[in-house]
Amino acid sequence: MNILKELKGNESLSSVPEPELQWLVENSEIIETKEGDYLYQNGDPVDYLLIIIAGRLRMFVNRNGQHRELGFNEKDYIGGLLPYSRMKTGAASAVALEKTTVLRLHRDKFPEMITTQHELVESLVHLMLDRIRSFTKLDQQNEKMISLGKLSAGLAHELNNPAAAVVRSASALKKHLGFVPEKFKQVISIESDEARVDRINEILGAVLQRGVPEQTLMERSGLEDELTDWLEDHEVEESFEIAESFAEYGLKVKELDDISEMVLPKDLTAVLTWINSVLTTEKMVDEIAEASQRIGDLVHSIKEYSHMDGGADKKMIVLRAGVDSTLRILQHKIKANHVKVKVDMPDDLPKVRVSPGEMNQVWTNLIDNAIDALPEAGEIRIEARQDREFVITRVIDNGPGIPADVLEQIFDPFFTTKEIGKGSGLGLEIAQNIVKRHNGQIKVNSRPGHTEFNVCLPIE
């Protein structure tokens, strides 16, 4: 095999003069691996520049006991140690899928290469920079997709509940209104004067105005029994159903006495049935309005969270608004894990100039990580205080804490203690980069029972 010819055909080395490629051949060694052989393994020292001359390698990592495929490297792939790279140990393993020929240059030859083979070094450095940009962009996108997946699952659940309530109440309301013509017929046949009608309307209006009162189960059950007894004593039809509805609105026996004085005994059932119909309709409409409001609030939170109208421009904002919208977005996960969240961010905190969407990404990473770290029924505290020309926000959880050896790597790119598929290891690094872009700092300290992330942002 003509190694020089193979290198000249490598697109990444197309601009390198032949003499420099010849230097590379003369100072390198050629190794061959059989199918199933490892070229290198995770944790091995990285001492060689590697160029695949022929064959194919499979790349993978083992993380937390799980196997994760990274892809395949084929003929003309250049990897391993590149000029000016600070890599010391391998982060992945490479196994040959077929007979593979590799050219490798030991790091001992790098000083000579850097001082004498300038165009070769320039090509290799450009390759390294392009690869870093591509790799970082891909993993940042993966991190965003993982975050989006988590948020989407929570939002789907949060939206499903009020949407189902709207459908359920609307269906019940439609069925209920189907009986109105018959009830109206009973009411319109009642013999009464205007004063008596006005008095009944006053009582009904007062009940509607005060709305559904807060009652204990025992209080409501007792009132229901009283109303049922009264209705049965007055031979009102469907007394149990009417008593249940009246009790929910806190309607008293005294009010029933007032109504009964305004109508003839033969008309009492028709009047109370009509009042019950009005209260039932009111209840269903309230349920639809409340559920629709919840949907509206969630949509508003999503819009506020992503700041779709504002892009990435910096503006003076209240940090509490971003934290609140993030908590609403993560509400499903918070409830599912029975996590208690306390927020202490005073109303008089000064505004800070930030990109709202980016800062919400920081809050999402910190709060989501805290939820994941907590046992069931744990607690998260979010506190903020002004310190001279800065606002410091603390996200604190009472979980098991972060081990000291892990704490040193917590902001390193691609470092994660989560299972494969649950995090790329970029969340905290992205959060740190966002805070730095805002001329701020993010720090962490941890001990068992207390992990605290401090985000310090300048006011201007």
Side-chain angles (χ1 to χ4, degrees), residues 211-228:
V212 177
E214 289 187 10
Q215 303 176 81
T216 65
L217 184 61
M218 186 174 294
E219 289 172 338
R220 179 167 169 177
S221 179
L223 178 57
E224 211 171 293
D225 290 341
E226 288 180 30
L227 294 172
T228 301

Side-chain angles (χ1 to χ4, degrees), residues 300-316:
H300 176 74
S301 294
I302 296 166
K303 187 176 180 181
E304 188 178 64
Y305 176 85
S306 60
H307 276 262
M308 289 183 288
D309 294 336
D313 294 338
K314 291 184 179 181
K315 56 186 71 175
M316 298 298 292

